Amino acid sequence: MLAVNYTNLRDNMKTYMDKVTDDYETIIVTRKDNKNVVMLSEESYNNLMENIRVMGNKANYDWLMESKSQLENGNLSLHGLDEADADE
């Protein structure tokens, strides 16, 4: 995570945007009166929102935690994938 003041960000906008999108960097833009802003890529934002949606539903959360526990305890099975016919 990087912190940069507004003036520096404005003067080097492309460089910082490239860091955010190419290097998955999160940037805190510092401003007066501690009214800071966080800049992150659209991909990171969408991922964050999806995680909030999935983890915010208790049934989904419980199912994921149970699956995680089963995997960590070696309680799993492998299955082959069937190929679908072209007309399906």
Side-chain angles (χ1 to χ4, degrees):
M1 186 176 310
L2 298 175
V4 61
N5 66 40
Y6 173 78
T7 302
N8 192 355
L9 174 70
R10 185 185 61 227
D11 293 344
N12 300 287
M13 184 66 80
K14 181 184 181 327
T15 299
Y16 285 113
M17 287 180 150
D18 287 345
K19 285 183 181 295
V20 168
T21 57
D22 298 343
D23 301 336
Y24 299 99
E25 191 68 66
T26 301
I27 296 179
I28 298 174
V29 182
T30 59
R31 300 171 63 210
K32 291 181 182 176
D33 299 325
N34 210 23
K35 293 184 177 184
N36 300 339
V37 174
V38 175
M39 186 166 62
L40 64 154
S41 69
E42 181 181 18
E43 181 180 356
S44 294
Y45 172 80
N46 289 339
N47 187 29
L48 179 64
M49 291 295 102
E50 179 67 11
N51 284 335
I52 289 171
R53 186 188 69 78
V54 169
M55 299 304 268
N57 178 303
K58 179 147 176 44
N60 280 347
Y61 178 81
D62 291 344
W63 179 77
L64 287 169
M65 292 303 103
E66 176 61 24
S67 297
K68 180 179 180 257
S69 176
Q70 290 174 2
L71 179 62
E72 291 172 344
N73 293 322
N75 185 10
L76 58 102
S77 59
L78 300 176
H79 302 273
L81 296 176
D82 294 331
E83 290 191 32
D85 292 333
D87 60 336
E88 287 185 34

